[in-house]
Amino acid sequence: MKVMTLRAAMCSAALALAAPAMASDADVEALKAEAAGLMKEFGDTLRGELVAAMQAGGPVNAISVCNEEAPVIAASISDASGWDVGRSSHRLRNPLNAPDAFTAAAIDDFVAREAAGEAVDSLVSAGIVEEDGERVFHMVKAIPTGEPCVACHGGDNVKEEVVAALAEMYPEDTARGFSPGQMRGVFTLSKVLD
Ligand code: HEC
């Protein structure tokens, strides 16, 4: 933890001295590696809780994991790491997960590359952009639809009681009709550098 903080501090000091919108390849690689670790932690925790809740009480019970636990898990990882961690999609269930500009551009690119036959789990985009006078590092990674996901994001295989619960909570839901392997959405990570 101490080492990470020190490295983060050294990174931002080094970046502040560097040319305005540039960071060295080594800095960007270090940020990417840190972001990839946090994404894995977020994904693994979420998936673990989801599968456990589905086994314990079926998909209607597990909706609360996605609805309530996902933001809690994201917030706790964000607080502990100083990164902003979340999820988004080209077909949103919750409009509050709408993408920022960097993420929206990455999602468009991923949708085109998926259509062109690229493997979903290889789609990653990272970069530094200026937002409101601050330089912000962003990383976005595609999430493939897995077998457990179709219980709530699939097509006709979604149970009636799940359809009803989702319709009540998410009247604008567009996150249905996915098959395993298709891109369901993305993990988003960002960090203000200075
Ligand atoms: C038990 C039902 C359920 C299952 C199973 C499920 N989800 Fe979801 N998913 C939801 C709900 C509910 C939301 C809305 C969460 C919110 O309000 O932020 C959601 C939101 C999302 C989002 C955020 C973007 C958006 O559309 O709002 C992503 C990405 C996502 N799910 C991916 C997955 C993946 C990948 C799996 C399989 C590993 C999965 N989900 C399994 C119910 C489910």
Side-chain angles (χ1 to χ4, degrees):
M1 196 67 204
K2 224 173 185 170
V3 174
M4 296 258 284
T5 316
L6 182 62
R7 194 177 60 185
M10 283 168 65
C11 270
S12 39
L15 293 176
L17 294 172
M22 300 292 291
S24 77
D25 290 350
D27 294 329
V28 171
E29 286 312 311
L31 287 163
K32 276 191 201 169
E34 198 182 334
L38 292 169
M39 258 178 207
K40 186 169 179 340
E41 184 186 347
F42 184 36
D44 287 353
T45 309
L46 202 51
R47 204 185 168 91
E49 294 219 5
L50 191 64
V51 170
M54 298 249 284
Q55 279 164 357
V60 174
N61 167 59
I63 287 175
S64 68
V65 172
C66 272
N67 173 243
E68 292 157 26
E69 291 304 318
V72 172
I73 297 167
S76 94
I77 296 176
S78 299
D79 285 350
S81 66
W83 287 72
D84 198 351
V85 180
R87 299 186 300 170
S88 189
S89 182
H90 48 313
R91 282 159 56 186
L92 286 168
R93 171 151 289 168
N94 187 339
L96 293 176
N97 295 326
D100 56 35
F102 184 94
T103 305
I107 289 175
D108 283 352
D109 176 49
F110 292 175
V111 168
R113 287 164 62 188
E114 180 184 22
E118 277 191 57
V120 170
D121 56 9
S122 69
L123 300 173
V124 185
S125 171
I128 297 174
V129 287
E130 186 139 346
E131 292 169 3
D132 300 327
E134 291 179 318
R135 289 182 322 122
V136 183
F137 174 81
H138 283 265
M139 186 149 135
V140 181
K141 189 176 191 313
I143 313 173
T145 305
E147 289 293 344
C149 319
V150 295
C152 298
H153 293 295
D156 295 342
N157 45 350
V158 179
K159 285 187 184 155
E160 246 169 64
E161 64 261 35
V162 176
V163 173
L166 289 173
E168 199 177 315
M169 293 170 84
Y170 303 98
E172 297 164 48
D173 189 8
T174 57
R176 288 280 317 280
F178 288 93
S179 315
Q182 286 186 310
M183 178 168 84
R184 163 62 194 99
V186 295
F187 287 123
T188 63
L189 269 102
S190 63
K191 182 176 191 171
V192 175
L193 298 178
D194 49 33

